[in-house]
Amino acid sequence: ATRVALQGFSRTGWYVEYTLTHSKFPYAAALATDNISGGYVEWALSEPGLMETENGGAPFGEGLRQWLARSPSFNVESSHTPLRIVLQSGPISFVLSLWEIFARLRRLEKPVELYVMPDVEHGSHLPQNPRQVAALMQGAIDWFDFWLNGHEDPDPTRAEQYARWRKLRELQEKDAHK
């Protein structure tokens, strides 16, 4: 089994999701934090610009063909890597921009988790609050340690997260046998 993982923050989170949906390499795990996903819902809720650049045009006519081929959201069936999507900028309504790729992966029974930073309403793209930073860092460490090394921290306060992740591992194993 491979022990290579991907992590992207902000702009590079889109590249992580793109790589997971457009590469055959068997990454062990991935983390995309506070990023655009380039999905249609996100495009509809935002100002014109970046997503058209990444996806080859606006989602109309010929641009729609490019969009369907390039957008990570429309290509999630190709991903087989456990993905943790993290929201760390408020308000909580920003979760809508991450929902499309999360929901599509869940529909396909792929291993995915959507994590919202504690007190996200008072978060920022570059959090400074020590409690928030610690939660983000510990979550990333736990996620990668679980998927790359098979380790689970015995701390009882983390038991619920590992129970969720073991279920995600079952989904990944089921996906591998399709």
Side-chain angles (χ1 to χ4, degrees), residues 68 83 125:
L68 292 172
L83 174 62
H125 195 53

Side-chain angles (χ1 to χ4, degrees), residues 6-79:
L6 295 173
Q7 181 173 2
F9 166 73
S10 190
R11 178 86 167 120
T12 60
W14 185 88
Y15 294 111
V16 166
E17 292 173 352
Y18 183 88
T19 299
L20 295 180
T21 57
H22 291 79
S23 169
K24 300 273 188 224
F25 188 84
Y27 293 97
L31 181 65
T33 304
D34 237 27
N35 60 292
I36 65 161
S37 291
Y40 183 79
V41 171
E42 184 178 26
W43 173 84
L45 295 171
S46 67
E47 296 294 320
L50 184 61
M51 283 175 268
E52 286 90 339
T53 301
E54 294 300 344
N55 290 325
F60 308 104
E62 182 56 36
L64 180 58
R65 281 189 259 295
Q66 290 295 317
W67 194 281
L68 292 172
R70 295 176 70 172
S71 170
S73 295
F74 286 114
N75 290 281
V76 295
E77 68 279 358
S78 300
S79 178

Side-chain angles (χ1 to χ4, degrees), residues 10 14-15 29 41 52 59 79 89 98-99 110 130-131 157 164:
S10 190
W14 185 88
Y15 294 111
V41 171
E52 286 90 339
S79 178
S89 295
L98 306 172
W99 194 258
K110 305 278 187 170
R131 183 173 148 264
T157 64
R164 283 193 321 271

